[in-house]
Every structure is written in C-alpha cells, then in structure tokens.
Amino acid sequence: MLFDTHFHLDLVEDNLGLLQRLEEMKIYTIAVTNLPKLFSHTEKLCEGFKFIRPALGFHPELASQYKSQLSVFRELIDRSRYIGEIGLDNLRKASQDFKDQKDIFSSILNICAEDGNKILTIHSRRAEKQLISMIGNNFPGKIILHWYSGSLKDLETALSYGFYFSINYNMTQSVNGKKIIGALPLDRILLESDGPFTVLENVPFTPLNSKITINEIIRIKKNIVNAEEIEASVFFNNFKSLLSGN
Ligand SMILES: [Zn+2]
C-alpha cells in the first residue's frame, strides 16, 4: 500500500486526472496548501475522493506577507484534521520576516493544540532547533517533520518527542539526506513526494512514484544496518499508526 503525506496537488497541472489515478490505485495522499485562502479550492478538488485529504496550510515563506490570513486559518480549523504546509524557514530571511514567522507558527500551534487531534506536516529549513523546541515534548497531536535537513542532534531531540519524518526521493540522493535516513528508526519514517518541488529526470514527482522512494530508503538502510530483511509494509504501518490515536 502506498501513501504520500506531503503533496502540493494544487500546483500540479491536470490535477483532476491525477486525482482519479490516485483513487484507482488507492494511494492515500495528504494534499497540502500554502495559504489559508487557498484551502477551499483544494477541499473542493478532493471532494468525493476517498484517498485524498486536503490540508489547511500557511507556508512560512508567505507568513510575513500574509499575516492577516491567520484569522482565516482560525476560521477554517475544523474543516480538516490535516495541517500543512506550516513551519519556519530561516534561509536568508530578514529578522522581521523570521520574527513574523515565529509569531504565526506559535499561534498555529496553539490553535491546533486546542483541537488536540491534528496531524501537522512541517517545514523547518535552517530553523530546526528553534522549531522543535517551540513544538515541545507534549504537543497534543501528531508531528511530521517534512524534508528535514538539520543536525543529527536536533533529530534525536525530535525523535525523543515522538515526531515522525517524511522522506522524499531527493533526500535519498543527497549526502545529508542519506545521513538523516540512516539515523532514523524504521518506525518513524513516512513517505512524501513534495511534488512538484522534487523531480526525477525532469519529471515532477507525484504520489504515484512512492515505490521508487521506498526502494531507495530500503537500499540506504540495508547498507547501514547490514541487510536484515526490511519489509516495504513497515512504512504503511507507520502511516496507519500516524492516523490512529497511538
Ligand atoms: Zn512542500
């Protein structure tokens, strides 16, 4: 069984055709959005599809410019269990921009904590340590760090807090990504495409390509843990426990 916890459905051309294929192939997909005002569009697209769920998002790189969208986020909070893309990004950001991001992310965490049962897919580029400590050890809900690229020390902290990590194909091809995959326990690994921001031979990834990523993760793990058999089903089991109350 395949799944994808972070896919930008609304940025893909012919997304209706793709939706139909995902449904036929029973690929569970979380369709993230980048601003609260964009949620309804994706919510409508997903209507009637059993395997695709829209996520309410507020991308950190848009947070400062669209501060007033926080009230829309609050209004829409009950429309989905899935939240993302949210987070922090401190790659070449002005200090005011990053401060706004932190204010908004902190409000989003509070809004989600009140509900208690949300699943959050989170961007953390160059802000990993701060972001992990903002979420903390007792967040009521599930946390997925998407395309994590921080230190192994911060990764250990996140693991001790019970967070999951979603891995995409690009991560399986980079030195740092391989190091991160190597350090993750098998039971914390989820899959994402982050399409269309990831590509293979110039074709953007979609959830249809999940199997390629699974094979690459297994290859990397086998090199490190010396090849006891790794079942591909381990990842889907992680996805099931993400959705469950555990
Ligand atoms: Zn993304």
Side-chain angles (χ1 to χ4, degrees), residues 178-243:
K178 283 180 191 162
K179 205 170 70 185
I180 286 161
I181 294 164
L184 287 172
L186 273 177
D187 67 356
R188 297 298 182 80
I189 297 178
L190 295 168
L191 307 169
E192 65 168 49
S193 61
D194 202 18
F197 297 107
T198 49
V199 290
L200 178 60
E201 288 157 4
N202 294 321
V203 181
F205 262 86
T206 75
L208 296 171
N209 311 114
S210 300
K211 194 78 181 81
I212 301 174
T213 309
I214 291 180
N215 292 341
E216 288 298 302
I217 296 171
I218 290 179
R219 205 170 52 79
I220 293 165
K221 287 308 245 184
K222 278 187 174 167
N223 284 341
I224 292 163
V225 296
N226 271 330
E228 78 207 59
E229 273 317 300
I230 298 171
E231 301 273 350
S233 62
V234 68
F235 305 110
F236 190 68
N237 289 336
N238 296 341
F239 182 64
K240 281 196 288 189
S241 55
L242 174 82
L243 301 187

Side-chain angles (χ1 to χ4, degrees), residues 19-235:
L19 273 168
Q20 276 153 359
R21 289 222 50 206
L22 293 174
E23 188 79 358
E24 277 161 26
M25 296 184 66
K26 302 190 162 113
I27 302 178
Y28 291 91
T29 301
I30 300 175
V32 296
T33 56
N34 285 341
L35 276 179
K37 67 177 175 183
L38 302 174
F39 175 77
S40 298
H41 170 73
T42 294
E43 186 187 43
K44 269 202 199 80
L45 272 176
C46 300
E47 231 169 56
F49 292 97
K50 189 170 163 249
F51 289 85
I52 333 293
R53 291 286 179 264
L56 173 62
F58 201 157
H59 197 286
E61 293 186 284
L62 299 173
S64 183
Q65 190 186 347
Y66 291 94
K67 269 182 250 174
S68 63
Q69 283 279 298
L70 187 61
S71 61
V72 182
F73 185 93
R74 205 183 297 275
E75 275 165 34
L76 295 174
I77 191 66
D78 292 329
R79 298 263 282 271
S80 183
R81 185 182 178 199
Y82 306 95
I83 304 297
E85 176 163 3
I86 55 168
L88 297 177
D89 189 305
N90 203 16
L91 178 66
R92 297 189 287 270
K93 297 293 185 293
S95 64
Q96 185 60 44
D97 182 299
F98 192 58
K99 188 187 171 300
D100 291 341
Q101 288 185 41
K102 283 185 285 185
D103 290 346
I104 285 172
F105 184 60
S106 161
S107 301
I108 288 174
L109 289 175
N110 287 333
I111 296 166
C112 292
E114 271 172 44
D115 178 275
N117 194 30
K118 300 292 195 201
I119 294 173
L120 284 57
T121 169
I122 303 181
H123 173 120
S124 59
R125 184 167 56 183
R126 303 285 166 93
E128 296 87 2
K129 189 189 251 347
Q130 198 156 14
L131 178 132
I132 292 163
S133 79
M134 280 174 78
I135 302 166
N137 194 6
N138 293 304
F139 184 81
K142 301 284 178 70
I143 302 294
I144 309 167
L145 297 184
H146 124 80
W147 202 335
Y148 178 83
S149 58
S151 71
L152 293 187
K153 187 161 172 282
D154 294 334
L155 177 142
E156 286 302 328
T157 309
L159 285 172
S160 75
Y161 292 177
F163 300 175
Y164 290 89
F165 290 76
S166 57
I167 305 299
N168 62 51
Y169 180 78
N170 283 27
M171 296 174 74
T172 68
Q173 304 303 301
S174 78
V175 173
N176 194 43
K178 283 180 191 162
K179 205 170 70 185
I180 286 161
I181 294 164
L184 287 172
L186 273 177
D187 67 356
R188 297 298 182 80
I189 297 178
L190 295 168
L191 307 169
E192 65 168 49
S193 61
D194 202 18
F197 297 107
T198 49
V199 290
L200 178 60
E201 288 157 4
N202 294 321
V203 181
F205 262 86
T206 75
L208 296 171
N209 311 114
S210 300
K211 194 78 181 81
I212 301 174
T213 309
I214 291 180
N215 292 341
E216 288 298 302
I217 296 171
I218 290 179
R219 205 170 52 79
I220 293 165
K221 287 308 245 184
K222 278 187 174 167
N223 284 341
I224 292 163
V225 296
N226 271 330
E228 78 207 59
E229 273 317 300
I230 298 171
E231 301 273 350
S233 62
V234 68
F235 305 110

